[in-house]
Amino acid sequence: MRDGKGSLVEPIGGMRKSALFNKVRKGMPSQVADTLRSGARGYGSATSRFREMPDFLVIGAKKGGTTSVANWLVQHPQVMPMFPRAQRHKSPHFFDLNYARGPEWYLSHFPTRASRAARARTAGRALVGETSPYYLFHPAAAARIRDTAPDARLIAILREPVSRAYSNYWDRVVAGTEDLPTFEEAIDAEESRTSGLTEEWLADPAHYSFDHDHHTYLARGRYAEQLRHYFAVFPREQLLVLPLDALKADPAEAFRRIEDHLGLEHRIVDLEARNAREGNPPIDPATRERLVAYYAPHNRELADLLGEDYGW
């Protein structure tokens, strides 16, 4: 895939890797690794008729705790990893970035019915899912999920939007996709960076916007408008919405709610947070005050939509 500037885009998603996997990967020539990945995907696509769509999707929000939830779930004995197991994928980014590759390619990322049946015989159930925080924000993702995996249970984790935007900026700086030197410059540039983009343009699988993917710090915190895309095509009970505050305050209770939503038995797993970056400089108080005011009407809209006020 190429973005609007002609640059090659290779979206990837990752989970916590085992020490052995990391050791092998670091010592492996890139050509060999590419060949193995290509071979696994080719085999998965060729056997796609023996595979099934995911049972659940963790759809966002970015920097909202989705990696933690994905790692919690894959520890559950009734949840299977994506295929191939050794790569510990978090997401193939199908419904946001790779939709043009088609359903056979998507199915290639999930275990076969036979392997799921074998797990179910020992564990009672065998669910599989994936996680992409871009799914919540991408305007075409909800309809694509409805058309491709209409029975999937959905989970959205929402973070207080000012903290989310600030964390997102520093995450992009570290990743090398943000070159503006201050958060204030980045949010001031957001409107011009994304001007001209429409939901119709983004819905074309051939189109990709680097700025929409990487430089939408403020827009990603306007949660009500994003959730409405999902509520328009899914029953509300199919989507579990949790605030990140709940995961932090009582992770065991939050995970029980996730288990209940997915029909999983209650099990004890390691509820350590994952992918939490620390050491960012504190946000300027004036900037925080500015963004609290900016998000106030959007937070009220969210509270009205969900019938729950998160106190933001």
Side-chain angles (χ1 to χ4, degrees):
M1 176 188 295
R2 294 184 181 274
D3 66 11
K5 301 174 184 176
S7 300
L8 192 63
V9 178
E10 290 292 343
I12 59 172
M15 294 281 284
R16 180 179 51 164
K17 307 295 192 290
S18 69
L20 177 59
F21 179 84
N22 285 326
K23 182 178 180 179
V24 171
R25 181 179 60 177
K26 289 178 181 178
M28 184 181 297
S30 59
Q31 296 91 337
V32 175
D34 290 343
T35 299
L36 290 174
R37 280 193 295 267
S38 178
R41 199 54 51 225
Y43 172 77
S45 295
T47 56
S48 62
R49 66 187 182 279
F50 302 116
R51 304 173 189 275
E52 296 177 338
M53 290 294 172
D55 301 287
F56 66 87
L57 300 168
V58 184
I59 61 173
K62 191 173 184 64
K63 303 308 297 179
T66 55
T67 298
S68 292
V69 171
N71 276 292
W72 296 353
L73 282 167
V74 81
Q75 296 175 63
H76 197 289
Q78 294 179 320
V79 175
M80 296 185 69
M82 297 176 68
F83 175 82
R85 174 192 297 266
Q87 291 185 8
R88 298 285 184 92
H89 285 298
K90 186 173 75 171
S91 177
H93 289 280
F94 179 65
F95 297 111
D96 45 24
L97 303 180
N98 287 307
Y99 198 63
R101 294 180 183 263
E104 289 184 355
W105 180 87
Y106 186 50
L107 282 166
S108 75
H109 292 82
F110 301 108
T112 62
R113 281 189 290 273
S115 61
R116 293 182 66 166
R119 172 68 72 91
R121 284 194 293 271
T122 59
R125 297 201 71 187
L127 305 187
V128 65
E130 55 122 335
T131 301
S132 170
Y134 199 17
Y135 287 170
L136 178 61
F137 184 58
H138 196 289
R144 291 172 177 176
I145 294 169
R146 186 270 320 275
D147 292 343
T148 308
D151 298 324
R153 305 292 284 180
L154 309 172
I155 301 169
I157 311 298
L158 308 183
R159 181 178 180 179
E160 186 276 310
V162 178
S163 298
R164 195 223 64 81
Y166 191 63
S167 178
N168 193 173
Y169 167 77
W170 285 107
D171 181 73
R172 295 300 83 202
V173 169
V174 172
T177 59
E178 177 57 83
D179 56 7
L180 292 180
T182 69
F183 175 58
E184 290 74 17
E185 288 177 86
I187 59 176
D188 288 343
E190 182 171 332
E191 184 175 354
S192 63
R193 280 171 155 177
T194 57
S195 64
L197 292 178
T198 65
E199 291 193 359
E200 292 73 21
W201 189 90
L202 289 164
D204 185 341
H207 289 163
Y208 170 74
S209 168
F210 183 87
D211 288 315
H212 187 268
D213 189 0
H214 293 280
H215 297 148
T216 42
Y217 306 111
L218 298 183
R220 284 179 182 259
R222 301 196 297 262
Y223 298 127
E225 60 192 55
Q226 299 162 45
L227 289 170
R228 283 198 172 91
H229 284 113
Y230 283 86
F231 291 153
V233 295
F234 286 104
R236 291 209 175 193
E237 62 269 18
Q238 201 163 331
L239 172 57
L240 174 66
V241 180
L242 289 173
L244 179 60
D245 295 339
L247 273 68
K248 290 182 173 180
D250 191 343
E253 173 59 25
F255 190 59
R256 278 193 292 271
R257 291 185 62 183
I258 292 170
E259 289 173 315
D260 290 342
H261 181 64
L262 300 182
L264 297 169
E265 297 174 3
H266 292 177
R267 298 294 178 87
I268 297 175
V269 302
D270 177 7
L271 296 175
E272 180 185 351
R274 299 292 174 190
N275 203 31
R277 179 169 287 113
E278 300 179 355
N280 297 333
I283 188 172
D284 185 287
T287 301
R288 173 172 288 281
E289 184 177 351
R290 166 192 168 189
L291 294 189
V292 166
Y294 170 85
Y295 279 120
H298 300 291
N299 291 338
R300 287 194 295 270
E301 185 181 4
L302 177 66
D304 291 341
L305 179 66
L306 298 179
E308 184 176 7
D309 191 338
Y310 294 140
W312 297 338

